[in-house]
Amino acid sequence: MLILLPPSEGKEAPRRGAPLDLDALSFPGLTGIRERVLDSLVALCDGPADRAAQTLGLGPTQVGEVVANRSLRERPAAPAIHVYSGVLFDALGYRTLSPRARRRAQDRLAISSALWGLLRPMDRIPAYRLSGGVTLPGFGTLAAAWRTAVGAAIEESHGVIVDLRSGTYTGLGPIPAAARGRTVTVRVLQESDGRRTIVSHMNKATKGRVVRSLLEGDQQIASPSDLLDALTEWGFTAEVAQGPANGSAMAIDVVVREL
């Protein structure tokens, strides 16, 4: 199984530890692109701070993020699962998982990243600021840089693929055609007064709980339809939004009726 997660804008900067070692990261086929994206980001942030902030979509009070990006190769690094923070990762609650579930997490989880492509939970990284929609000067769009290599890494996985990424990060590594038949995408809808809408906080929190269940549960998930059955067994209200047809992935809606 491969569970694809989005990153988070919020990050906990490690206070101590060895610096980044690109060669030690998982998915070694991405190393060359990581080098190029990292070099381009650091070069941008070494220049005028206001220009870098504008390119990165940062406000006047976030210039410190630009300064921090300048020293990404030297700053302390820590496991990615501890660096990424935010609603989804809080709901996942990695630190409170059982030992077995933490072992599964390292084998099953892959975190999408504009800077690193894909990461396993224990890959050591520094805190950084780079969103998937940024176009780096002299480099081009991040989607153009990543899509082929990340797609190839996804295709090499085995078993069911559970894609929980947002649209921006799906664009950095679309599911290859050969893997769509074993892929499930999950959307979370909030139902109130008979109307269903997407609510960002509930979307992220529910996806975090789904991941936690996938890591802790004993259900055998050998096909996309098995995931639907498992979600129901775990107490989620889950419906097929789109069945796998014409080479498309199965889409499941998880409906939440209370905030």
Side-chain angles (χ1 to χ4, degrees), residues 12 81-83 89 92-98 102 212:
E12 295 288 339
I81 197 68
H82 301 319
V83 172
F89 291 90
L92 166 57
Y94 178 85
R95 286 184 170 88
T96 62
L97 290 173
S98 66
R102 287 197 294 270
R212 186 177 180 92

Side-chain angles (χ1 to χ4, degrees), residues 155-173:
E155 188 170 356
E156 290 173 359
S157 68
H158 300 285
V160 174
I161 299 169
V162 183
D163 192 352
L164 302 175
R165 297 172 296 170
S166 60
T168 297
Y169 290 95
T170 300
L172 298 188

Side-chain angles (χ1 to χ4, degrees), residues 52-65:
Q54 183 178 18
T55 300
L56 297 175
L58 303 176
T61 63
Q62 296 175 297
V63 175
E65 303 269 13

Side-chain angles (χ1 to χ4, degrees), residues 6 9 16-17 61 65 72 105 124 139 150 156 165 213 224 248:
E9 292 292 347
R16 60 181 66 86
T61 63
E65 303 269 13
L72 286 174
R124 299 178 67 259
F139 188 88
V150 170
E156 290 173 359
R165 297 172 296 170
S213 296
S248 63

Side-chain angles (χ1 to χ4, degrees), residues 26-101:
S26 303
F27 306 102
L30 305 179
T31 301
I33 305 173
R34 289 166 174 156
E35 288 273 11
R36 291 170 49 217
V37 178
L38 180 59
D39 286 346
S40 182
L41 177 60
V42 171
L44 169 67
C45 294
D46 273 338
D50 57 347
R51 175 172 174 264
Q54 183 178 18
T55 300
L56 297 175
L58 303 176
T61 63
Q62 296 175 297
V63 175
E65 303 269 13
V66 173
V67 175
N69 275 353
R70 294 172 182 169
S71 56
L72 286 174
R73 292 184 181 274
E74 295 80 35
R75 293 173 57 211
I81 197 68
H82 301 319
V83 172
Y84 290 111
S85 59
V87 176
L88 187 153
F89 291 90
D90 287 346
L92 166 57
Y94 178 85
R95 286 184 170 88
T96 62
L97 290 173
S98 66
R100 182 183 65 170

